[in-house]
Amino acid sequence: MPTPSRSIATRLEVIAAVLVVFTLLAGALSPSALASPGTSNSKHITVMETTFPLKHAAIADDWLPGYTGPPRAKVAFPAGYNPNRKYPLLVLLAGVTSDYSFWAAPRLGDIARTAAGLDAIVVMPEGASGWYTDWWNGGARGNPSWETYILDDVIPQVMKRYPIRPERRWHALAGISMGGLGTAYLGGRLPGFFGSIAVMSGLADLHLAPAQGSLLSFISANAAKAPYDPLAVYGPENGPYSRGHDPMKLVSNLRHTRIFMTTGNGEALTPDDTFLDQIAEGLIIRTAMDNYARALRDAGIDITYRTHSGAHTFTNFRRELRAAIAWGLFGPVAERPAKWVNSTVARSGSLWGLRYRFTSAPTRVTRFSRKGDVLKISSAGTSVRLTTPAGCSIRTPTPATVRLSRAACRAG
């Protein structure tokens, strides 16, 4: 009988090997072959195509899947859409080697039927194979900067362009596979905006296997036919940038967020579900999701986690989105809790209406902790400027304890 340490090592080796298979599986999907742009309609939902131009993010055309210009998106409007009333919002993220059109394509996500009856506007933005992350790129932290694109470009433009209800209860984020990882991470980057998240068949453990970041970088480079840099996306394995993007390390960021999780067990649902589809879901994704669910529960965070038959295919993903909709994407949540924590490696962001911007990029994962009017900030290796919801500006070195109601500040 093998020793426990050898059993663990063997399991890691198996998972690493299967991640390579997952890489091959991802490369087998062809956006141009499986999904086409354009407008589709049903008696339930109208789906239209649009663009959300780059305003803060940097994404070169090389990283866009098969087109140039502003990143594209699909937007689904509910039956009986009335531009004079306000609607809930669902931001729906696609998986790796997919594009913005996959969720809308009839043979894939088929959003017009899958989300039939959902009285909400559904925005399906481009994510390419970018892991919804501002890439490390040797410390440059960008190009492509998908994290900034979703949070600082897409969401503000959505809120300006469409009649969306303003309260966080009415904002949900969901995604499958790479989009599930993006959902778990981005939901915690903007907790004051998203009230609920749905992580569906997501690669929610960024350190599931050795050299996983290098494999994810390879998938992206392969999809874009770009030179391969093993550290391009997340930087050094277990470095602060990698840890600061791992949902497993950031569970407390979601303490005030409703969380729905669902994944398949690898069993085929149709004859078209291949062996690779099955092991991708049953071994890699299921293990990652189990780990993430355990991490959330160990932190005392309430979640709804459902497992079921299914492989890593849209047959399964459609069922999972319907399950998330039935669970209720827009349940009651605290609008602005008086006590919260948030850990980040981002240079700037917004936490419950409090904006922050570090003088330079943090050199470590930095923790914000607020209780009432007292905000504690751990060391970031740099100073930070805070802007309160009332417009007061406070600049302080880190670490720091700031009394927000009493701090000397200037408006603007």
Side-chain angles (χ1 to χ4, degrees):
M1 177 178 292
T3 64
S5 60
R6 178 58 187 160
S7 297
I8 293 170
T10 300
R11 181 170 178 79
L12 289 173
E13 290 165 2
V14 169
I15 292 174
V18 175
L19 277 168
V20 174
V21 175
F22 186 61
T23 302
L24 298 174
L25 173 65
L29 296 176
S30 169
S32 60
L34 296 179
S36 59
T39 301
S40 62
N41 295 278
S42 80
K43 62 181 180 179
H44 303 293
I45 286 175
T46 299
V47 184
M48 303 189 69
E49 185 165 310
T50 188
T51 62
F52 293 114
L54 301 168
K55 295 182 180 295
H56 300 89
I59 301 172
D61 285 346
D62 292 348
W63 295 111
L64 296 174
Y67 65 91
T68 60
R72 300 174 185 172
K74 295 285 189 179
V75 180
F77 299 91
Y81 173 71
N82 179 356
N84 295 316
R85 60 163 286 213
K86 292 187 179 295
Y87 289 86
L89 168 69
L90 170 61
V91 178
L92 186 57
L93 306 180
V96 71
T97 70
S98 302
D99 67 22
Y100 70 97
S101 68
F102 268 47
W103 268 116
R107 287 189 292 161
L108 296 173
D110 197 12
I111 195 69
R113 291 175 176 79
T114 303
L118 179 66
D119 190 32
I121 294 173
V122 183
V123 174
M124 296 155 276
E126 183 64 84
S129 293
W131 302 104
Y132 299 104
T133 296
D134 289 356
W135 286 20
W136 170 249
N137 279 339
R141 300 187 178 211
N143 197 12
S145 46
W146 291 105
E147 180 179 336
T148 295
Y149 177 64
I150 298 296
L151 299 180
D152 297 339
D153 289 341
V154 172
I155 290 173
Q157 290 181 61
V158 165
M159 296 302 290
K160 184 176 181 179
R161 191 180 301 180
Y162 304 115
I164 304 297
R165 297 191 63 164
E167 306 91 345
R168 70 182 290 258
R169 170 182 178 169
W170 305 108
H171 308 151
L173 178 65
I176 51 98
S177 193
M178 177 187 78
L181 168 61
T183 294
Y185 173 66
L186 296 177
R189 278 275 278 114
L190 203 60
F193 183 82
F194 292 112
S196 299
I197 66 169
V199 182
M200 305 178 294
S201 292
L203 190 61
D205 184 347
L206 203 53
H207 295 89
L208 180 66
Q212 182 172 325
S214 299
L215 286 166
L216 301 189
S217 293
F218 174 77
I219 292 173
S220 297
N222 185 58
K225 297 180 174 57
Y228 171 52
D229 173 1
L231 304 182
V233 181
Y234 293 110
E237 194 82 9
N238 292 315
Y241 203 70
S242 180
R243 294 196 310 272
H245 282 83
D246 189 347
M248 293 280 292
K249 316 289 186 188
L250 306 172
V251 290
S252 294
N253 292 3
L254 295 169
R255 185 166 299 279
H256 299 286
T257 301
R258 298 173 66 248
I259 303 170
F260 179 82
M261 297 175 56
T262 182
T263 190
N265 60 7
E267 295 180 5
L269 295 176
T270 75
D272 294 330
D273 293 350
T274 69
F275 178 66
L276 293 181
D277 297 327
Q278 294 176 65
I279 61 173
E281 186 78 14
L283 183 55
I284 305 170
I285 298 299
R286 176 66 183 271
T287 303
M289 291 285 282
D290 285 350
N291 290 351
Y292 187 47
R294 188 179 306 112
L296 287 161
R297 287 169 172 158
D298 287 349
I301 297 174
D302 185 42
I303 64 172
T304 299
Y305 183 30
R306 298 175 184 168
T307 59
H308 48 80
S309 298
H312 208 64
T313 66
F314 267 96
T315 303
N316 179 45
F317 303 154
R318 290 192 297 269
R319 290 176 49 173
E320 291 183 337
L321 180 56
R322 286 193 290 267
I325 292 171
W327 167 74
L329 293 169
F330 307 111
V333 291
E335 186 64 25
R336 186 166 291 176
K339 181 180 179 180
W340 51 261
V341 298
N342 194 277
S343 298
T344 186
V345 288
R347 183 169 181 181
S348 63
S350 177
L351 302 173
W352 307 101
L354 178 73
R355 299 196 304 276
Y356 66 89
R357 184 171 186 84
F358 292 102
T359 303
S360 58
T363 58
R364 62 209 73 179
V365 180
T366 304
R367 181 180 176 93
F368 291 84
S369 177
R370 181 170 183 173
K371 185 176 181 180
D373 291 326
V374 177
L375 178 71
K376 295 183 178 181
I377 311 167
S378 69
S379 177
T382 182
S383 59
V384 65
R385 177 178 176 177
L386 308 171
T387 305
T388 71
C392 290
S393 179
I394 305 162
R395 183 166 180 172
T396 178
T398 61
T401 298
V402 178
R403 205 167 276 279
L404 296 172
S405 62
R406 302 176 187 172
C409 63
R410 61 179 177 79

